[in-house]
Amino acid sequence: MKIQRNFVKRVTAGALTGAVNGIFGGGGGMVAVPLLAKMLGYGDKQSHATAIFVIAPVCAASAIIYIINGYAAMDVIIPAALGTVAGGFLGAYFLSKFSVTAVNYIFLAIMFAAGIRMLF
């Protein structure tokens, strides 16, 4: 029964993450990290790292749909993808260097800034 409950929680967390990412074209990680940490009980750093692997295929699927429907700015895709990959390597490197507290404060600051930006 516990295995079934965990499976249902994981599928639910994945569905919520995918829906947010698909609707907004990103931001699934902002949902995935708290779900992995609070709902599924993973550690903070493990939640951040796991969210990347959860988000990558969702982003690829969403990108294909956006490109097919003509929503993606093709002149931005390659330069932005290169920057994103470089930033991803740096971020993954620094995740192992920062304390859990620092990672949580950085994540909180980014979420807060994104929320404020959306208001104005």
Side-chain angles (χ1 to χ4, degrees):
M1 187 64 137
K2 185 178 180 180
I3 293 172
Q4 259 185 330
R5 213 174 18 242
N6 284 338
F7 180 78
V8 170
K9 281 183 175 182
R10 289 177 180 144
V11 170
T12 302
L16 289 169
T17 300
V20 167
N21 207 75
I23 291 169
F24 299 113
M30 296 295 190
V31 173
V33 171
L35 288 175
L36 286 163
K38 304 300 183 210
M39 185 173 163
L40 299 176
Y42 291 99
D44 292 329
K45 285 187 176 184
Q46 190 176 14
S47 295
H48 287 277
T50 303
I52 295 299
F53 285 101
V54 169
I55 295 303
V58 173
C59 287
S62 297
I64 290 167
I65 299 300
Y66 290 146
I67 290 167
I68 289 170
N69 288 319
Y71 295 134
M74 298 304 287
D75 60 325
V76 175
I77 290 175
I78 298 297
L82 291 172
T84 302
V85 169
F89 277 113
L90 286 171
Y93 172 78
F94 283 116
L95 178 65
S96 66
K97 304 295 181 192
F98 291 151
S99 69
V100 171
T101 302
V103 170
N104 285 335
Y105 279 126
I106 293 166
F107 186 68
L108 175 67
I110 291 169
M111 286 181 59
F112 183 75
I116 294 297
R117 178 119 202 272
M118 290 182 74
L119 289 173
F120 300 104

